Amino acid sequence: MKVTIIGAGYVGLTTGVALAYLGHEVIAVDKDPAKLSLLREGKSPIHELGVESLMSLAVSRLSFTDSIPDGLGQAEVALIAVGTPPKLNGEADIGYVEQAAKELAEKLQEGQTCTVVVKSTVPIGTNRRVALVIERALAARKVKANVYLASNPEFLRESVALPDTLYPDRIVVGADRAESIAVLERLYRPILEQTFAPPKILPRPEGYGLPRLVATDPTSAEMTKYAGNAFLAIKISYINEIAGLCEKVGANVTEVARGVGLDPRIGRRFLEAGLGWGGSCFPKDTSALLAVASEYGYGMPIIKAAREVNQRQRQLVVDKLSSTLKVLRGRVISVLGLAFKANTDDVRESPAIDVIRTLVDRGAHVHAHDPVAIPNAQRELDGLDLEFLDCPYAAAEGSDALLIATEWDEYRTMDLQRVARVMKQPIIVDGRNIIDPESARSAGFTYLGVGK
Ligand code: UDX
């Protein structure tokens, strides 16, 4: 099928690359010239597993451009995957989505049939709004086209966005007309039936069954995305709340999570206690849900509490550092990990960034390290007085305490004896519970985890 994707960010780019790999002809539109020139050279602007190799495998079916082509390049499907940044009141801003819809409507031709798919995470009711924007733009041009709307939220995780796209648990499609569902079913058929040859770099997971297609109405599809992300955020905050009480009573949250997670009604995943959640989805989606609820005068105390607990986690690690060191002012603290989670260079809403700001504010000198996120963190922390080091041992050198803020494998496997030798005082606050406390203690560390 011919597909046009508007927005080549995390979602648009990975979806476009996957669809081209599956055999569709994809045109990806993005306004950022720097991003476009990288993409045209076959380079990925994001640190994401498999993007460059799949781009090279699908190069003949994938092109990048800065504006929507006339007639959308004869696309049967146009996916809108632009950003929906939070407004001051927490609500997701659909300005870019509307703009994309308008530009798209300006390029539609008389008699053309196209299914417009909203892939961005958007507030409830956006589909209807997008339909209206397109309808009005077409009417102003006196052009008649058959435009069908569908909502198709994504559930991909950063760092494994491509495997999540190729091997999803489910594909949710919300549309009022059966035709739109049928078009998306055709678009995703290679995934739904797993008929494609898995790329070497992204093999099909062992025991993977076929994904389910959940066909529903647009509003339910939009709500599914928010409800899913909020649930996961609540699950993490829940275990973090339990972790705090574990510390008080002398229980170990890792053991508790194992015991609890073996109940299939609860499940083992997303029960890792630590610094809490960040990233582009959970913070934004929980706040967007609260904003929608408040428009209706409806309280959502569980989601509100999950956000509060998440914020508190960031403060708790600072409290651990200050209660161990007594005075933070004038101390050197190494912070290992800047990305909001491992295997990505994304620092949006990263707990590490927040904690560094607090530490610097409290007068500490921070040595920061991350395997890939330093350039993004430098931009985020521009103007703040701290040092970025290119290896964890260099970051640990001369420090009074070391805080692990991201669960990178590189930190799990550190030579703890070597780290202890270069530090002024061997203290570890393990904000992600990735170091074995016994190994840390036998290397001479004072070890403080979360919920242990
Ligand atoms: C999430 C959803 O998983 C995905 O389905 C949705 O489409 C987008 O949002 P992502 O933000 O990429 O994906 O990251 P995810 O792997 O879900 O982790 C989110 C945050 O939770 C990270 O900061 C991570 O460190 C934290 N986390 C995750 C925990 O603190 N504990 C856990 O047990 C799991």
Side-chain angles (χ1 to χ4, degrees):
M1 292 169 84
K2 286 188 192 298
V3 182
T4 295
I5 298 191
I6 304 158
Y10 275 97
V11 174
L13 178 62
T14 48
T15 307
V17 168
L19 290 175
Y21 177 77
L22 296 173
H24 298 301
E25 263 182 57
V26 179
I27 300 175
V29 185
D30 201 287
K31 294 211 158 105
D32 180 345
K35 196 186 277 181
L36 284 178
S37 65
L38 276 176
L39 289 167
R40 285 179 183 140
E41 286 169 31
K43 295 199 182 111
S44 171
I46 50 170
H47 180 85
E48 192 63 51
L49 175 71
V51 170
E52 288 185 2
S53 18
L54 253 63
M55 274 205 299
S56 74
L57 291 171
V59 70
S60 61
R61 291 183 298 277
L62 183 60
S63 58
F64 299 98
T65 170
D66 60 359
S67 59
I68 302 171
D70 283 335
L72 312 182
Q74 296 166 331
E76 271 174 90
V77 189
L79 299 165
I80 299 182
V82 294
T84 49
K87 293 202 258 188
L88 281 178
N89 65 355
E91 201 188 323
D93 186 347
I94 59 161
Y96 295 126
V97 174
E98 289 199 13
Q99 184 61 26
K102 209 160 153 239
E103 284 175 27
L104 187 152
E106 273 151 20
K107 296 297 169 84
L108 280 167
Q109 285 164 350
E110 184 70 29
Q112 186 171 357
T113 299
C114 183
T115 299
V116 175
V117 182
V118 180
K119 227 175 168 28
S120 308
T121 300
V122 291
I124 318 296
T126 299
N127 253 55
R128 214 179 293 264
R129 175 81 199 155
V130 168
L132 186 70
V133 167
I134 295 177
E135 209 175 283
R136 290 182 59 204
L138 286 174
R141 289 174 55 217
K142 299 194 175 36
V143 165
K144 284 204 171 66
N146 309 308
V147 179
Y148 305 122
L149 255 292
S151 159
N152 172 218
E154 50 75 25
F155 299 96
L156 44 89
R157 294 162 297 167
E158 284 182 32
S159 82
V160 282
L162 276 177
D164 277 356
T165 306
L166 295 173
Y167 314 112
D169 312 306
R170 77 294 201 195
I171 292 178
V172 175
V173 177
D176 287 328
R177 299 172 62 107
E179 288 97 320
S180 324
I181 308 261
V183 167
L184 282 165
E185 216 170 338
R186 211 146 44 83
L187 181 74
Y188 290 125
R189 188 164 298 146
I191 296 176
L192 290 167
E193 296 176 356
Q194 291 290 304
T195 46
F196 63 93
K200 266 205 193 80
I201 183 166
L202 306 168
R204 189 170 287 133
E206 228 169 281
Y208 175 73
L210 295 181
R212 298 275 290 273
L213 177 77
V214 180
T216 180
D217 62 277
T219 311
S220 300
E222 289 165 344
M223 184 60 105
T224 303
K225 166 75 186 197
Y226 282 120
N229 274 352
F231 186 87
L232 294 169
I234 290 166
K235 193 171 179 189
I236 300 168
S237 282
Y238 175 74
I239 200 67
N240 279 334
E241 187 168 294
I242 293 291
L245 193 59
C246 283
E247 286 181 14
K248 306 270 178 223
V249 302
N252 180 334
V253 74
T254 307
E255 297 298 308
V256 174
R258 190 154 64 101
V260 166
L262 282 168
D263 182 333
R265 291 171 301 176
I266 296 173
R268 298 179 74 155
R269 295 169 72 186
F270 277 64
L271 285 179
E272 304 282 351
L275 254 173
W277 36 271
S280 67
C281 284
F282 293 172
K284 190 161 79 84
D285 293 353
T286 48
S287 93
L289 210 45
L290 289 178
V292 173
S294 91
E295 251 181 56
Y296 289 83
Y298 182 70
M300 295 191 94
I302 298 181
I303 292 174
K304 203 157 161 262
R307 288 174 59 83
E308 281 164 17
V309 168
N310 196 50
Q311 207 51 41
R312 183 171 71 178
Q313 289 312 102
R314 300 173 181 194
Q315 187 53 45
L316 288 179
V317 292
V318 176
D319 293 348
K320 281 191 173 128
L321 287 166
S322 77
S323 66
T324 313
L325 294 168
K326 304 299 172 206
V327 182
L328 283 178
R329 194 166 301 281
R331 300 288 193 181
V332 179
I333 317 264
S334 343
V335 176
L336 299 190
L338 300 165
F340 81 97
K341 67 172 187 180
N343 306 316
T344 176
D345 60 352
D346 195 345
V347 299
R348 285 177 289 175
E349 302 278 343
S350 172
I353 300 288
D354 227 8
V355 168
I356 288 175
R357 284 210 179 94
T358 310
L359 290 173
V360 172
D361 195 47
R362 300 264 306 260
H365 180 65
V366 171
H367 285 179
H369 174 264
D370 190 283
V372 296
I374 289 180
N376 284 341
Q378 274 169 329
R379 267 191 293 278
E380 189 73 28
L381 294 168
D382 190 29
L384 215 63
D385 182 20
L386 75 154
E387 271 174 86
F388 293 94
L389 285 307
D390 60 7
C391 106
Y393 302 100
E397 185 106 36
S399 62
D400 294 284
L402 184 140
L403 165 68
I404 297 180
T406 313
E407 62 281 20
W408 284 100
D409 274 348
E410 187 173 340
Y411 306 146
R412 277 180 219 276
T413 54
M414 277 186 312
D415 176 349
L416 292 174
Q417 311 266 0
R418 185 174 159 198
V419 178
R421 267 200 309 277
V422 298
M423 287 178 70
K424 212 183 287 167
Q425 316 184 47
I427 297 170
I428 286 192
V429 173
D430 184 358
R432 295 292 180 181
N433 286 346
I434 58 171
I435 303 278
D436 170 39
E438 279 321 305
S439 317
R441 282 183 198 120
S442 59
F445 276 100
T446 300
Y447 175 90
L448 293 130
V450 176
K452 297 186 177 210

